[in-house]
Amino acid sequence: HDIDERYLRNHIVPKFGKLRITDVTQAYVVAWLDAKVKEQGYAQATVNRLQVIFCLMYKLAKRWQVPGSEHNPLAGLSLPNLNNQRERFLTPEELQRLNTAVEASANTQLKHIVALLLLTGARKRELLDARWEHIDLERRTWTIPMSKSGKARRVPLSAAAVDELRAMPRWSGCPFVAPNPKSKKPYTSIFNAWDTARRQARLPDVRMHDLRHSCASNLVNSGQSLYVVSRVLGHAQAKTSERYAHLAQDTLVAA
């Protein structure tokens, strides 16, 4: 799976690649996983996936009779519970503070990335890997060839989203929509620039994924149905969209 390969390349190999298989202890791995959440700001779901991949590596090594793989340091270690129902919606005033901070960021791409995540409800990785060939500004459609659901999906582009895309810098020979200007390749991580901006905006608890929640909130509060939210955000299951049902109720009460 592409995501697993990326997690392995960007996270596991840099940390453990030079260690002997017998030198990896449970305490060492657990401390690393905890730091991913508490110090680096990764979602618990992301870190749980790293744990699953790590454990699977040892299981496969044992099956393949790799010397030293008899002991799996993560054997019997349960996955921390997820709190995926956590919802954080940005208020107009908070959005203004965030906008000011990302405009001032030393990372010149951050303002475009944040704006597009808010305007499309896309997942961060979907945007960082996006290519111009998949964006049709005339038909106002962005095709994501492989989404989290494992299928292609189409994201509708509002007039504001189209304007933002037209304003983005382009480099000759670079196919990516929001690349690192230095390497002309997708960012492996944009956390440091984001963390600086959110703290300057006095929003230290806001994750990039909360921009997706805020997009959904804005759709519901403008009177759109949960079906529309589900289609825009590309939810594979309707129940995923139901977390926004209370927002629809609030809109009905206000009406």
Side-chain angles (χ1 to χ4, degrees), residues 124-141:
K124 176 183 65 177
R125 197 69 248 171
E126 291 173 339
L127 179 57
L128 295 183
D129 292 335
R131 294 170 175 259
W132 286 112
E133 66 194 81
H134 298 138
I135 291 179
D136 189 331
L137 294 178
E138 297 303 317
R139 296 180 180 175
R140 290 171 42 169
T141 300

Side-chain angles (χ1 to χ4, degrees), residues 120-240:
T120 64
R123 299 176 180 91
K124 176 183 65 177
R125 197 69 248 171
E126 291 173 339
L127 179 57
L128 295 183
D129 292 335
R131 294 170 175 259
W132 286 112
E133 66 194 81
H134 298 138
I135 291 179
D136 189 331
L137 294 178
E138 297 303 317
R139 296 180 180 175
R140 290 171 42 169
T141 300
W142 167 21
T143 301
I144 299 175
M146 181 62 76
S147 66
K148 188 176 179 181
S149 66
K151 298 182 294 185
R153 73 182 183 93
R154 290 190 174 184
V155 179
L157 299 173
S158 65
V162 169
D163 289 343
E164 189 66 39
L165 285 163
R166 291 190 190 280
M168 295 184 74
R170 297 202 194 191
W171 290 270
S172 177
C174 176
F176 301 105
V177 174
N180 183 326
K182 295 179 181 178
S183 67
K184 308 299 186 296
K185 294 181 180 180
Y187 287 97
T188 54
S189 172
I190 200 169
F191 176 75
N192 289 337
W194 166 255
D195 189 45
T196 299
R198 69 178 179 176
R199 292 181 186 280
Q200 288 179 345
R202 304 190 308 281
L203 299 168
D205 65 317
V206 174
R207 308 164 305 169
M208 264 196 155
H209 196 73
D210 293 327
L211 303 179
R212 180 169 160 88
H213 289 315
S214 295
C215 175
S217 172
N218 292 338
L219 285 170
V220 172
N221 289 332
S222 65
Q224 299 299 328
S225 68
L226 293 182
Y227 172 77
V228 169
V229 172
S230 178
R231 293 299 300 271
V232 171
L233 269 60
H235 288 154
Q237 298 177 330
K239 68 178 183 180
T240 310

Side-chain angles (χ1 to χ4, degrees), residues 34-49:
D34 285 346
K36 286 285 185 185
V37 175
K38 297 174 182 176
E39 298 174 17
Q40 299 178 38
Y42 284 95
Q44 188 64 58
T46 298
V47 176
N48 281 7
R49 187 160 188 162

Side-chain angles (χ1 to χ4, degrees), residues 52-68:
V52 169
I53 295 170
F54 209 101
C55 192
L56 177 61
M57 288 167 59
Y58 270 86
K59 289 181 179 178
L60 289 174
K62 185 176 181 180
R63 183 188 304 171
W64 297 333
Q65 298 182 337
V66 175

